[in-house]
Amino acid sequence: MFTLRNAEFVTTVAAARDLPPAQGAEVAFVGRSNAGKSSALNAITGRRRLAFVSKTPGRTQYINFYRVAPGRHLVDLPGYGYAAAPAATRAQWNALIGGYLQTRAALRGVVLIMDARRGLTASDRQLILWLKPAGRPLHVLLSKADQLGRRQANVVLHDVALALRRERVDASVQLFSSTHKMGIVEAAARIEAWLAGDGHKKPPVKGE
Ligand code: GDP
């Protein structure tokens, strides 16, 4: 067995052609810029500076790979939905991330980090559209849940779960806070189960 706490940085890539060979199992982290993705990666791996918490939203346009165990990787995808990003940057992002999510053979599951105060945005829905045809399982972290009262947090949890059911996507959802260490055990268990799985139940994606 392995632990996410052994995560260590392997490589960073800026273009699909530079992706490492798709061997073993990968779990990808995605989310809007500033949703708390880097903080979540650090909290879940127990590594304070594994991923850099960004001061400038939308700045990172690279895919970072972290090795948890031989052939088991966490993949940090660049944040999206940053309105000030030029159209060309957004098009590049769509090609890189859309391509990765739809065709990556090693991808076992996707963790979507969503600010609990914002709920499901249009960009999140676009992402879900990419996951659906390939049958990628999705786990949603409703981040910064510490900013909501308990009752309000449960309303968001219920609403997002309902929205995901309506999207007919294979998804689970939980409350999460990096700063308050909320939901970390639950999230880590989900990710470790995906990484430990020997294969994907679904048939291979066209083009793989
Ligand atoms: P990323 O752009 O999605 O990687 O987001 P970051 O992890 O860089 O976080 C963006 C901002 O949200 C930073 O100022 C973080 O300190 C803050 N943040 C991240 N996670 C939490 C959380 O669980 N609770 C609160 N209150 N703030 C958070």
Side-chain angles (χ1 to χ4, degrees):
M1 208 32 205
F2 56 87
T3 161
L4 300 181
R5 297 191 165 252
N6 289 341
E8 54 183 46
F9 174 77
V10 185
T11 189
T12 186
V13 303
R17 64 176 176 277
D18 299 327
L19 286 168
Q23 289 160 348
E26 293 172 4
V27 169
F29 280 63
V30 281
R32 276 180 71 93
S33 295
N34 217 39
K37 176 164 58 65
S38 309
S39 303
L41 259 163
N42 291 340
I44 289 168
T45 58
R47 306 289 293 276
R48 222 152 45 91
R49 289 180 62 79
L50 187 73
F52 290 111
V53 172
S54 51
K55 295 285 166 276
T56 320
R59 206 184 41 157
T60 31
Q61 291 302 323
Y62 301 102
I63 300 184
N64 293 312
F65 283 77
Y66 304 98
R67 181 173 40 233
V68 170
R72 317 270 177 213
H73 292 91
L74 300 178
V75 181
D76 183 14
L77 302 178
Y80 56 86
Y82 183 49
T89 306
R90 274 182 276 147
Q92 196 189 354
W93 191 94
N94 283 343
L96 181 61
I97 307 312
Y100 173 89
L101 291 175
Q102 290 173 92
T103 65
R104 183 75 169 170
L107 186 57
R108 297 281 179 263
V110 175
V111 179
L112 170 57
I113 292 90
M114 197 186 281
D115 190 325
R117 297 166 302 182
R118 298 187 70 129
L120 204 65
T121 64
S123 326
D124 297 325
R125 286 181 195 278
Q126 165 62 62
L127 191 114
I128 288 167
L129 286 181
W130 281 332
L131 301 179
K132 260 191 344 191
R136 308 285 195 201
L138 174 71
H139 187 65
V140 175
L141 302 183
L142 294 170
S143 69
K144 310 188 191 184
D146 57 279
Q147 297 293 300
L148 299 176
R150 185 197 289 240
R151 184 189 299 259
Q152 209 184 345
N154 283 325
V155 168
V156 174
L157 182 63
H158 174 268
D159 287 353
V160 172
L162 188 65
L164 291 168
R165 271 204 299 281
R166 289 199 174 125
E167 294 281 350
R168 298 189 183 282
V169 62
D170 175 9
S172 44
V173 55
Q174 66 161 101
L175 294 169
F176 188 86
S177 166
S178 300
T179 50
H180 289 59
K181 305 271 177 271
M182 183 198 293
I184 288 171
V185 172
E186 189 182 349
R190 174 74 271 168
I191 295 162
E192 285 173 358
W194 277 339
L195 287 178
D198 288 330
H200 210 274
K201 296 185 293 293
K202 313 267 170 17
V205 180
K206 225 171 110 194
E208 281 184 356

